[in-house]
Amino acid sequence: MKILIINGPNLNFLGRRKEEIYGQMSLEEINQRLVEKAKALDMQVEFFQSNSEGEIIDRIQQAADVYDGLIINPGALTHYSYALRDALESLSVPVIEVHLSNIFAREDFRQKSVTAPVCAGVITGFGWRSYLAALEVFHQWVSQL
Ligand code: DQA
């Protein structure tokens, strides 16, 4: 099982950005934990991060037919990018949206996700463990546990 994990704008700044909200771990450290978890679950993971909406959409379009699922933290694009939503909607494989923070407990503009309705589900508020939980969901899904 091969999963693509996409991170959107400013998530390359994790560990240096609002640590009280997003935690102290860098994106590289989070990805390393996910590699270890994937190995334990006998899954493969690949990573992509970009600050550019267009690059993320290009990567999603290339992902069609290559991966069994996608995990995406769209960053602020979550709240307004209909273009990203359309790209996700065009995929036939399931997508899990994740957020480090609990977007429903934050500013009004963060409480709406325009991408969530085209995802299989959303995991929000568990810090880096939101990604870990998404990986486990994919694993259990396929193993039908
Ligand atoms: C975020 C929440 C977004 O509102 C914010 O713009 C981010 C990170 C999260 O993981 O909590 O960049 O997606």
Side-chain angles (χ1 to χ4, degrees):
M1 184 180 212
K2 205 167 162 186
I3 303 293
L4 177 64
I5 302 176
I6 297 180
N7 280 285
N10 298 306
L11 291 160
N12 56 320
F13 253 48
L14 287 179
R16 284 184 276 176
R17 173 190 178 211
K18 285 197 158 292
E19 287 180 30
E20 67 287 3
I21 293 177
Y22 299 121
Q24 293 181 339
M25 264 206 239
S26 67
L27 187 59
E28 290 71 29
E29 286 167 331
I30 293 174
N31 290 350
Q32 188 47 42
R33 302 249 180 148
L34 294 171
V35 165
E36 286 161 20
K37 186 69 182 178
K39 217 184 252 177
L41 296 175
D42 200 22
M43 297 166 81
Q44 278 177 270
V45 281
E46 284 180 22
F47 301 99
F48 180 74
Q49 189 279 328
S50 176
N51 292 326
S52 144
E53 182 183 34
E55 280 180 14
I56 294 170
I57 292 169
D58 286 343
R59 190 71 186 85
I60 289 169
Q61 291 182 352
Q62 290 157 11
D65 307 324
V66 179
Y67 300 93
D68 301 297
L70 248 76
I71 295 171
I72 186 164
N73 182 347
L77 296 173
T78 306
H79 313 300
Y80 66 87
S81 177
Y82 298 114
L84 177 58
R85 174 190 167 124
D86 285 349
L88 293 172
E89 195 175 26
S90 73
L91 286 177
S92 54
V93 293
V95 181
I96 300 179
E97 178 173 316
V98 300
H99 299 283
L100 296 133
S101 62
N102 178 356
I103 59 169
F104 301 108
R106 299 188 62 194
E107 301 98 315
D108 286 352
F109 76 92
R110 292 188 205 276
Q111 291 180 23
K112 175 156 179 71
S113 168
V114 301
T115 44
V118 298
C119 294
V122 181
I123 301 173
T124 185
F126 300 100
W128 69 273
R129 290 185 177 84
S130 294
Y131 297 87
L132 200 72
L135 210 54
E136 282 178 345
V137 168
F138 272 125
H139 180 252
Q140 298 211 2
W141 222 337
V142 160
S143 335
Q144 307 221 314
L145 294 175

